[in-house]
Amino acid sequence: MRVEIWSDIACPWCYVGKARFEKALAAFPHRDDVEVVHRSFELDPGRAKGDVQPVLTMLTKKYGMSEAQAEAGEDNLGAQAAAEGLPYRTRGRDHGNTFDMHRLLHFAKEQGRQDELIGLLYQANFAEERSVFTEGDERLVELAGQAGLDPEAAREVLADPTAYADEVRADEREAAQLGANGVPFFVLDRAYGVSGAQPAEVFTQALTQAWDARSPLTLVGQDDADTCGPDGCAVPQK
């Protein structure tokens, strides 16, 4: 069974939702048969690459919040994260364009290191003092290396603005086609969807329901036709 997760590194609920989903997946009896794929979704796709500002400033300007409301929201998110065992800096974080991170995640997917990289990106953005936005490509290259990727290959990807750009845009178009206008958005076997950072119990229910609803393979034609197998191939008899 495949679970696709549309998310953005700048999304705090994606950070929390990933932890809740993984808690449910860890207890799922068929967890070894579940493939998890991370898909791209930018919360702020129109933001220029060099346009970085404090999270609290972004919240007040984008959503019309007062500074007190923005701080209260961050405090609430910090409490939600802590409940899942996640570190979260409620003050001093910044916000910027995440397109290059998504491109790098597609590269990591090809190398089988996507989950490792997205975990490190979340950790860096929400828990560490160093910024993933203001230090340029070198910070992302460093995180790629920690995820088990070749740093030089990661640097080449980041240096080429066209590398994996089509894959990111394809994910975003697909999200729109599926009706996802916010993240995190979880799609199970292209049959069930879960929107938002739901409690682990909801993810458990979704995993169970999707697993139980899988359709058995329907064979077309004769089931005794000639085939090849581990013991050789059937030889027609005259």
Side-chain angles (χ1 to χ4, degrees), residues 88-99:
Y88 189 98
R89 295 179 65 229
T90 60
R91 301 291 186 273
R93 293 191 302 106
D94 53 18
H95 176 81
N97 181 287
T98 58
F99 187 63

Side-chain angles (χ1 to χ4, degrees), residues 27 30 36 53 77 84 88-89 104 108 111 126 145-146 172 184 190 232:
H30 309 288
V36 178
Q53 63 183 161
L77 280 163
E84 304 303 328
Y88 189 98
R89 295 179 65 229
L104 201 57
Q111 309 301 314
F126 291 107
Q146 292 176 17
E172 293 174 336
R190 290 300 172 106

Side-chain angles (χ1 to χ4, degrees), residues 98-217:
T98 58
F99 187 63
D100 283 349
M101 299 181 205
H102 286 295
R103 294 197 299 115
L104 201 57
L105 282 165
H106 275 279
F107 167 66
K109 180 177 180 290
E110 286 189 349
Q111 309 301 314
R113 310 299 294 179
Q114 190 185 44
D115 196 63
E116 289 81 0
L117 180 58
I118 199 169
L120 287 167
L121 288 169
Y122 278 137
Q123 173 81 14
N125 186 41
F126 291 107
E128 298 177 6
E129 292 188 12
R130 294 176 61 192
S131 173
V132 293
F133 298 108
T134 60
E135 294 191 25
D137 291 350
E138 287 308 307
R139 178 66 171 136
L140 299 184
V141 168
E142 177 185 335
L143 293 169
Q146 292 176 17
L149 296 167
D150 179 358
E152 289 307 313
R155 184 176 286 108
E156 290 178 6
V157 169
L158 292 169
D160 178 2
T162 67
Y164 301 96
D166 289 344
E167 287 82 348
V168 175
R169 297 306 184 208
D171 276 359
E172 293 174 336
R173 286 194 301 271
E174 198 163 15
Q177 291 166 1
L178 290 170
N181 53 16
V183 285
F185 190 70
F186 302 76
V187 177
L188 293 79
D189 258 3
R190 290 300 172 106
Y192 296 88
V194 178
S195 180
Q198 300 282 352
E201 294 78 11
V202 173
F203 289 118
T204 297
Q205 178 184 351
L207 286 165
T208 301
Q209 189 169 347
W211 182 269
D212 292 344
R214 292 179 309 146
S215 299
L217 186 67

Side-chain angles (χ1 to χ4, degrees), residues 60-74:
T60 58
K61 290 184 176 181
K62 186 173 183 178
Y63 300 106
M65 296 179 175
S66 68
E67 186 172 343
Q69 288 174 321
E71 290 178 347
E74 282 295 282

